[in-house]
Amino acid sequence: MKVIGSVFCLLFWLTTNALLAQRSEPYLFEEFKSNEQSWPFIGANNDYSIAIEKGHLVMNAKATAIHTYKAIEINEDDDVAYYTNMIFMGGDHTAWIGLHFNMNTDVNKYCSFVYNNDKEFLISERSGKKYEVHRQSKSQVIKPYDYNSLTIIKKGSTYKFLINDKQVHELRIKSFYGSLLGITGNRNTQIKVDEVQVYGPANGRQETYDDESTFLEADVNAKAKKEATPEFQEFMNQFARVAFPYNFNPQNAQGVDVSSYPIVQKTFYKYIASSVRNKQMWAMCQLSDCGEGYALLMMNRYQINQQDISRFFVAVFDPSGKLLQEREVGEMVKENGSFFKMVEFKAYKEGNVMNIEAIETFSNGNKSRNSVRFNTVLCN
């Protein structure tokens, strides 16, 4: 009996420790270096595209909301934590991106933890046609135009919700529809997902160090300068480096006329209406170097009818000098010798985010506000 008892205890000890060892490993660890874990719907059509590129899941929801998902080997009684790190790349800034969890195989019953680029988060539940919002609120821990992490920690029926490792809400959820975990984006959103993890809360998540958001700025700058053509480098040299915060008002306006540069002629003056006269392009300052090239503050001055217009905008170029996008800041308008509209703006950095806050003041005293924000690492 003693021998049998000893053997039983040994087998119990080995089995228990094997299970504990297995539990110490994450249920899911995904860095998107490939699609070995077989996320569905990878591909593209007229409505959406989902791809794995450069260590990211890249999702572009064009005409419809999209998601991709994985089955997690958990049951309703398991304590579990879900984690993802993602960035909004473009589209509707108020549209939701994030996670579906506790999702059934028909993907029509699930809970959601999502956020948008307007510093809002939403916790909701859908059961077929029934839809319930548990919590919707603004949060200052959300970083627009930058990476944001979402964490859900389940212990029993209590769920804690964290953004960038700061708790934003806690509630009890009774429903467990299934074990699928989904990554989702509303219509007209483009997102990049850096990683997804599902793990035991007692063990914690695994740390990773190849996040695109941690690229050294010096390495990015060196790459951009290496690829710049001599023509574009000469153009770039006309943009002043300024200290931030950078405050612009008409009294301190300084810039360099770059109207005659070949890149300007080719990029900005290819299609100009015949009614536009005395067109000029001015280099104001360089706002940032980034992985996609350079973000530059420029002024386009021209006359049309009786108006003299000075338009300020952010121009994002790739390293070779190709214009990727423009973002409007504001403009000054002089009409019949008097200013009809004036503009002042402030550019300042918050971490990886460049903010430009502009106020246009009209001659009747009315004011119009505009804001431009972009990630200085990615220029998005």
Side-chain angles (χ1 to χ4, degrees):
M1 290 295 293
K2 289 183 178 179
V3 173
I4 294 174
S6 298
V7 171
F8 177 80
C9 290
L10 178 61
L11 289 171
F12 179 79
W13 183 86
L14 290 172
T15 304
T16 303
N17 280 275
L19 288 173
L20 289 173
Q22 185 178 2
R23 287 282 185 176
S24 68
E25 296 297 319
Y27 296 98
L28 174 67
F29 180 73
E30 178 62 89
E31 295 182 283
F32 298 111
K33 294 180 178 178
S34 66
N35 195 29
E36 290 182 357
Q37 305 205 54
S38 300
W39 293 83
F41 313 124
I42 301 295
N45 58 37
N46 291 334
D47 295 331
Y48 76 89
S49 65
I50 303 178
I52 293 178
E53 300 174 355
K54 299 179 181 179
H56 287 75
L57 178 70
V58 183
M59 302 176 66
N60 185 357
K62 302 171 187 176
T64 183
I66 58 174
H67 63 213
T68 183
Y69 49 79
K70 288 289 296 177
I72 312 300
E73 294 182 1
I74 58 172
N75 59 52
E76 185 174 358
D77 297 325
D78 287 330
D79 293 341
V80 67
Y82 307 97
Y83 170 85
T84 188
N85 192 37
M86 60 175 57
I87 184 170
F88 174 90
M89 298 297 295
D92 181 358
H93 292 195
T94 64
W96 303 111
I97 62 175
L99 295 176
H100 291 330
F101 62 100
N102 292 356
M103 186 162 63
N104 68 343
T105 54
D106 291 332
V107 298
N108 62 353
K109 296 181 180 181
Y110 50 83
C111 301
S112 298
F113 182 32
V114 293
Y115 79 98
N116 64 26
N117 214 42
D118 198 32
K119 293 189 174 183
E120 287 185 293
F121 70 89
L122 173 70
I123 302 166
S124 63
E125 185 174 344
R126 181 176 294 281
S127 177
K129 294 182 179 180
K130 182 182 177 182
Y131 177 73
E132 180 181 359
V133 173
H134 292 301
R135 177 71 170 173
Q136 182 174 353
S137 181
K138 290 263 190 179
S139 176
Q140 294 304 311
V141 304
I142 298 173
K143 299 180 292 185
Y145 305 94
D146 209 342
Y147 282 88
N148 289 276
S149 67
L150 302 179
T151 306
I152 306 162
I153 301 175
K154 172 188 179 293
K155 291 186 177 180
S157 61
T158 299
Y159 291 74
K160 294 182 179 180
F161 299 88
L162 297 83
I163 300 177
N164 296 323
D165 296 324
K166 303 289 193 304
Q167 184 171 325
V168 294
H169 196 57
E170 179 177 328
L171 60 84
R172 294 175 65 86
I173 299 177
K174 297 180 181 180
S175 304
F176 184 86
Y177 302 111
S179 63
L180 294 184
L181 176 69
I183 305 168
T184 184
N186 278 178
R187 183 177 65 85
N188 190 20
T189 57
Q190 298 94 50
I191 65 175
K192 282 186 176 182
V193 185
D194 179 53
E195 63 177 294
V196 178
Q197 294 190 40
V198 183
Y199 56 91
N203 301 317
R205 70 175 184 264
Q206 293 191 15
E207 294 296 329
T208 58
Y209 300 97
D210 58 351
D211 183 345
E212 185 177 352
S213 65
T214 64
F215 282 176
L216 294 177
E217 189 170 344
D219 293 338
V220 172
N221 296 349
K223 178 179 181 293
K225 287 180 173 59
K226 182 179 179 180
E227 296 180 5
T229 63
E231 183 183 75
F232 183 55
Q233 190 62 58
E234 183 183 8
F235 168 73
M236 280 292 307
N237 290 339
Q238 309 310 309
F239 289 82
R241 293 274 191 164
V242 296
F244 295 101
Y246 167 74
N247 292 284
F248 172 88
N249 61 62
Q251 286 71 40
N252 69 5
Q254 295 183 359
V256 177
D257 188 349
V258 292
S259 307
S260 62
Y261 281 69
I263 285 181
V264 172
Q265 293 289 324
K266 179 172 59 178
T267 302
F268 298 105
Y269 292 157
K270 191 173 182 180
Y271 304 103
I272 295 290
S274 58
S275 59
V276 175
R277 310 184 312 277
N278 301 329
K279 52 186 182 291
Q280 300 174 349
M281 197 68 69
W282 290 73
M284 303 302 294
C285 68
Q286 181 173 325
L287 296 171
S288 70
D289 299 343
C290 47
E292 303 300 329
Y294 300 89
L296 310 173
L297 179 65
M298 302 188 69
M299 180 183 74
N300 180 203
R301 186 176 179 185
Y302 57 93
Q303 293 177 338
I304 183 167
N305 299 325
Q306 302 301 313
Q307 292 186 335
D308 188 337
I309 301 171
S310 297
R311 166 182 164 258
F312 296 87
F313 65 101
V314 178
V316 178
F317 289 87
D318 75 5
S320 69
K322 178 183 177 182
L323 182 66
L324 300 177
Q325 60 173 302
E326 295 183 22
R327 296 196 180 183
E328 301 295 326
V329 174
E331 63 182 18
M332 295 189 297
V333 180
K334 198 173 186 180
E335 189 172 324
N336 297 321
S338 300
F339 278 103
F340 168 72
K341 181 166 58 173
M342 301 283 284
V343 67
E344 296 181 355
F345 53 87
K346 177 182 179 180
Y348 61 95
K349 288 184 177 180
E350 288 182 335
N352 289 334
V353 179
M354 174 67 69
N355 301 275
I356 304 176
E357 305 290 345
I359 300 176
E360 293 177 323
T361 303
F362 295 83
S363 56
N364 62 3
N366 289 341
K367 295 182 183 294
S368 175
R369 298 178 184 275
N370 182 41
S371 61
V372 175
R373 293 180 176 86
F374 61 89
N375 185 287
T376 58
V377 177
L378 303 174
C379 273
N380 73 297

